[in-house]
Amino acid sequence: AMDWGSANADPDVDEAPKHESMLRAQNLMLEASGLSPELINSWNINPLELDRARNRAAVTYFLGPHVHAMMFDPVNMSHFLDSAESGYIKSVPYHTWFHAVDVTHCVYRLMDMCDAQEYLNNVERYALLVSGTCHDIAHPGLNNIFLVEASHELALRYNDKSPLENMHCARLFEIVGNPKCNIFANLSSPQF
């Protein structure tokens, strides 16, 4: 497993060699899966056309520390992604793991195109990418209005206030509550 260091690294230490090493490792992982940085950094990637391994490689690249400089345990990230993927309901036609990979790709691309590092700090960029990955986790394929009108258990649990969004967020925090999946373990309390 790669040691990508600590989120609380000394700001006076030159991080350029570590950043270059991370980027090389991420690019090698992409190439080993049959993907190229050129494809990843374009709008031409379609998660529906990729097998499971390539989708995993792509989303791992999008969440990689070369994008936001936040360090995490790569084994925890693998467990996190396993849990996130399994949290999407396969029988729902749209809100699937493929959709999550697609949205995470869009977040990744838009952050790059808009120079997000100029106005979002490392933690904010990391949080945005992670939220893209779990933004529709466990989506039942019904909208909030239906859930409220039908007095669905989610509407009742969240007092009719954005039941889907509250549930997606709660599921994300349930996943990272498992120490094996805690991709935020290196964050300080204020960062978390």
Side-chain angles (χ1 to χ4, degrees):
M2 283 181 247
D3 176 14
W4 288 343
S6 163
N8 300 317
D10 183 345
D12 295 327
V13 174
D14 183 12
E15 293 290 322
K18 189 183 292 184
H19 181 271
E20 289 301 316
S21 174
M22 287 184 293
L23 187 56
R24 269 193 308 279
Q26 292 282 286
N27 284 330
L28 287 171
M29 184 249 337
L30 272 185
E31 289 170 19
S33 71
L35 298 173
S36 69
E38 294 76 27
L39 177 63
I40 290 292
N41 291 306
S42 76
W43 291 113
N44 297 324
I45 191 167
N46 181 352
L48 291 170
E49 295 173 352
L50 303 178
D51 61 17
R52 185 173 188 265
R54 285 184 178 85
N55 271 306
R56 173 58 68 90
V59 79
T60 300
Y61 186 86
F62 305 145
L63 293 171
H66 66 283
V67 180
H68 45 69
M70 298 305 300
M71 303 304 161
F72 54 77
D73 180 334
V75 174
N76 283 15
M77 179 59 79
S78 180
H79 290 299
F80 169 80
L81 291 173
D82 286 341
S83 294
E85 181 178 359
S86 68
Y88 280 85
I89 300 170
K90 291 178 178 35
S91 62
V92 173
Y94 180 74
H95 299 96
T96 65
W97 177 242
F98 298 110
H99 173 63
V101 173
D102 190 42
V103 168
T104 307
H105 175 243
C106 289
V107 171
Y108 164 80
R109 290 281 294 136
L110 290 170
M111 283 186 1
D112 181 54
M113 294 171 70
C114 297
D115 292 323
Q117 72 279 2
E118 297 299 322
Y119 51 89
L120 296 175
N121 67 37
N122 297 350
V123 175
E124 291 166 336
R125 293 192 318 273
Y126 185 40
L128 195 56
L129 287 159
V130 170
S131 66
T133 304
C134 289
H135 81 283
D136 272 337
I137 194 166
H139 199 297
L142 306 167
N143 65 27
N144 282 330
I145 295 170
F146 179 86
L147 297 176
V148 170
E149 292 298 320
S151 296
H152 188 277
E153 67 173 293
L154 289 173
L156 297 173
R157 178 177 300 142
Y158 297 111
N159 199 26
D160 297 341
K161 305 291 184 208
S162 304
L164 289 170
E165 290 72 20
N166 279 298
M167 181 269 295
H168 302 317
C169 185
R171 291 291 175 97
L172 167 60
F173 282 99
E174 286 171 12
I175 292 171
V176 298
N178 177 345
K180 288 183 175 182
C181 301
N182 189 357
I183 58 172
F184 301 131
N186 288 340
L187 299 182
S188 67
S189 265
Q191 288 174 318
F192 185 72

